[in-house]
Amino acid sequence: MQQISNVTGFSNLTPQIPVGVLVKPTSSRCNLNCSYCFYLSKAELYPWGKHPKLTIDLYEEFLEQYFAMSAPFLSFAWQGGEPTIMGLDFYEQIVTLQQKYAHKFNLMRSNPVYNSIQTNGTMLNDDWARFFKQNNFLVGISLDGPPEQHDLYRQDWSGRPTFDKVMAGIEFLRIRDVPFNVLTVVNQSNVQQPKKLLRWLAQQGFTHIQFIPLMEISPNMRSADTREPSKESLTPNQWGYFLSEVLEAWREIGVDKLRIRWFDDVIHMLWGLPSEACILAKKCGYILLEHNGDCYPCDFFVEPTQLLGNIRNDSLVEMITSEKFKNFSEAKNKLHKDCRECEWITLCYGECPKYRIANTGKISHSLPYFCPSYKQFFSNNYSKLEKVSIQRARKAGIVVPPDTLSANIRTRTKPMTLDDIRSIAKKNNVGRNGLCPCKSGRKYKRCCGD
């Protein structure tokens, strides 16, 4: 159990298990019929005819256990399906409950809970935007590119395009200055011209972008061993090419002008820091709360064999400490022989278990579907990533000399800050013309001492 201290705005608390939560308040129910959406298949498990909907009472049952277990680390991601189907009044009650429990647990900040919401954006208006701004919600908007790309697969249930509604929703967020990012699913509609796609996103004024590669298996097919991924899915070669081209376009546009989630995570790992995204982390797993109280370790694994329990009948702590959750979390570490010998393993860690299952039908000791993509990308672009990493580190006040980046890949050494370097220089009486303690080989005055 780790003691959490000196956290601004919080009383001194000791969380039993700090863990994030993803909530599906309407299960997979959605107002769109995107042809590549794997969530739609979950209607078999939670039928839409029963109008799945999370009640305030059930959420409060979860919230009380979650605060006791995880405070002051409290994070909710609201997703679906389409979470705005619940209506604005629901989220107003949610925030009120969060504040109630913050007071009960003596959390001193007015908004101690981190909330984000992933939406298709088609139902947003000024009321939603005002609420998000007032309550510090981070908003994710699904947008696959310009209309000819976005509308190919992202249509409503009547087959009508949705691009214009999404852009209108984004405009409401901009007017209210709501922080948002754009999530782009990379598929057969937009994979062919990566540079053009990134430039288009940048021209729209989007500064925070996340690319998700699409890989879904056709219905009734167990894995890619059958050679039948869905028609919208990428090949490994396409995803590797896409990453390489986007990196080039990003550098041309300016790496300080755009934040691209996957590249941010890789750069953090080059610095010796952990990835924020679970797909590149050593272990995975969080709490997914379904509308009826069922809990799972991941939204990709909402299936009967992975059910951890139900919050009405089971303790949240017991679910998180159960053998089932532990086995799921640690399955990612059961790497294929090729992974263990791969020079890029600590920039990938065998990637997301979903892509291992998609490739071979199993998680353990299995190569992910996009393994060739990453080998292709890192082999061709590592030196470019080093340059971007050093550039970004300098502006962040972190010192990462070029000759330590490769070592960080192997050892995950925590980087030193400029203050660390200057403290070492002072302690060792390094003069302005002496070699910089960061081991860059440059004079201190022209390196970390300027």
Side-chain angles (χ1 to χ4, degrees):
M1 196 159 56
Q2 181 181 3
Q3 180 71 33
I4 303 296
S5 59
N6 300 320
V7 180
T8 302
F10 290 110
S11 57
N12 204 24
L13 295 174
T14 305
Q16 296 182 53
I17 307 169
V19 64
V21 179
L22 189 152
V23 189
K24 294 173 63 179
T26 62
S27 192
S28 62
R29 192 158 61 97
C30 187
N31 63 319
L32 301 190
N33 183 27
C34 303
S35 63
Y36 58 64
C37 182
F38 78 93
Y39 285 112
L40 297 181
S41 65
K42 301 305 176 183
E44 298 176 4
L45 191 58
Y46 300 109
W48 293 10
K50 296 182 179 180
H51 301 288
K53 184 179 291 188
L54 177 65
T55 67
I56 294 297
D57 289 344
L58 181 57
Y59 179 71
E60 184 168 9
E61 284 189 48
F62 181 89
L63 197 63
E64 184 164 20
Q65 290 193 46
Y66 181 55
F67 264 72
M69 181 185 78
S70 197
F73 180 90
L74 301 162
S75 174
F76 285 96
W78 300 88
Q79 199 163 305
E82 175 49 44
T84 60
I85 288 177
M86 292 295 294
L88 188 53
D89 179 66
F90 170 81
Y91 290 96
E92 290 172 340
Q93 294 181 70
I94 287 302
V95 169
T96 298
L97 271 180
Q98 291 174 350
Q99 293 171 346
K100 169 186 171 181
Y101 279 87
H103 178 75
K104 179 178 179 179
F105 282 82
N106 297 315
L107 302 183
M108 294 178 288
R109 237 176 29 165
S110 59
N111 291 296
V113 182
Y114 175 82
N115 285 292
S116 63
I117 187 168
Q118 182 65 41
T119 172
N120 59 44
T122 60
M123 301 201 301
L124 298 185
N125 55 29
D126 185 61
D127 290 336
W128 278 106
R130 184 172 59 249
F131 169 82
F132 292 146
K133 183 64 176 180
Q134 290 174 346
N135 294 282
N136 299 312
F137 271 61
L138 173 65
V139 181
I141 298 286
S142 296
L143 178 68
D144 286 357
E148 64 273 15
Q149 296 174 358
H150 176 89
D151 287 334
L152 183 62
Y153 298 138
R154 299 188 64 84
Q155 301 175 1
D156 67 15
W157 288 92
S158 297
R160 293 172 298 198
T162 61
F163 176 85
D164 289 342
K165 287 186 177 181
V166 177
M167 295 300 284
I170 289 173
E171 189 60 28
F172 284 116
L173 299 180
R174 283 176 160 160
I175 290 172
R176 290 288 180 179
D177 195 27
V178 176
F180 71 93
N181 58 55
V182 168
L183 188 152
T184 298
V185 176
V186 183
N187 54 64
Q188 292 299 332
S189 77
N190 57 16
V191 72
Q192 302 298 335
Q193 295 180 303
K195 289 185 176 182
K196 186 176 180 180
L197 174 61
L198 185 65
R199 291 186 187 118
W200 182 86
L201 291 169
Q203 288 166 1
Q204 309 312 304
F206 304 140
T207 57
H208 291 72
I209 301 165
Q210 183 175 2
F211 292 114
I212 303 294
L214 180 67
M215 172 43 181
E216 296 295 334
I217 300 300
S218 297
N220 304 317
M221 298 297 171
R222 177 175 170 78
S223 71
D225 284 342
T226 64
R227 303 300 179 192
E228 291 196 36
S230 69
K231 66 179 182 179
E232 304 92 347
S233 293
L234 304 184
T235 67
N237 185 62
Q238 284 179 317
W239 180 231
Y241 170 77
F242 183 92
L243 289 173
S244 295
E245 291 291 288
V246 165
L247 176 60
E248 284 297 315
W250 185 38
R251 296 176 71 204
E252 292 166 4
I253 293 168
V255 297
D256 296 319
K257 295 180 181 179
L258 297 177
R259 300 293 300 272
I260 303 176
R261 177 67 182 272
W262 189 85
F263 289 110
D264 276 356
D265 281 323
V266 171
I267 287 169
H268 289 166
M269 296 166 82
L270 285 172
W271 292 350
L273 301 173
S275 165
E276 293 183 4
C278 56
I279 61 170
L280 299 180
K282 285 185 178 180
K283 295 183 179 181
C284 55
Y286 47 86
I287 286 293
L288 181 139
L289 176 65
E290 265 286 352
H291 71 288
N292 67 342
D294 286 347
C295 294
Y296 298 87
C298 173
D299 61 330
F300 287 141
F301 292 88
V302 176
E303 50 195 49
T305 58
Q306 296 293 346
L307 178 65
L308 299 173
N310 186 287
I311 199 66
R312 289 197 186 279
N313 307 313
D314 304 293
S315 158
L316 185 58
V317 169
E318 290 178 355
M319 284 190 260
I320 289 293
T321 58
S322 68
E323 283 298 311
K324 181 176 285 190
F325 187 89
K326 180 181 178 182
N327 290 339
F328 178 87
S329 178
E330 294 182 351
K332 191 175 182 183
N333 280 327
K334 297 177 180 178
L335 298 171
H336 190 276
K337 179 178 179 291
D338 290 356
C339 286
R340 295 194 300 271
E341 297 175 355
C342 179
E343 62 182 314
W344 311 116
I345 180 57
T346 56
L347 292 178
C348 171
Y349 289 117
E351 217 211 354
C352 179
K354 172 190 174 178
Y355 295 125
R356 297 190 199 175
I357 288 180
N359 195 33
T360 67
K362 62 181 183 178
I363 296 177
S364 298
H365 310 297
S366 178
L367 288 173
Y369 179 80
F370 290 115
C371 174
S373 314
Y374 298 121
K375 285 185 175 180
Q376 171 189 338
F377 172 77
F378 287 124
S379 296
N380 295 334
N381 297 283
Y382 180 72
S383 62
K384 299 173 187 176
L385 283 172
E386 279 192 333
K387 293 177 181 178
V388 175
S389 176
I390 294 168
Q391 178 182 342
R392 291 278 296 273
R394 184 75 177 174
K395 293 198 172 184
I398 294 173
V399 179
V400 187
D403 61 349
T404 68
L405 287 173
S406 296
N408 282 345
I409 293 178
R410 294 189 297 271
T411 66
R412 285 287 163 266
T413 303
K414 186 177 180 179
M416 292 185 289
T417 65
L418 284 173
D419 288 340
D420 294 331
I421 295 296
R422 289 166 183 169
S423 177
I424 294 171
K426 182 178 181 180
K427 181 179 179 180
N428 295 314
N429 297 314
V430 176
R432 287 174 51 76
N433 291 312
L435 291 177
C436 185
C438 80
K439 300 180 181 180
S440 65
R442 302 171 66 195
K443 290 183 179 181
Y444 180 52
K445 67 181 180 181
R446 297 188 182 280
C447 191
C448 299
D450 60 358

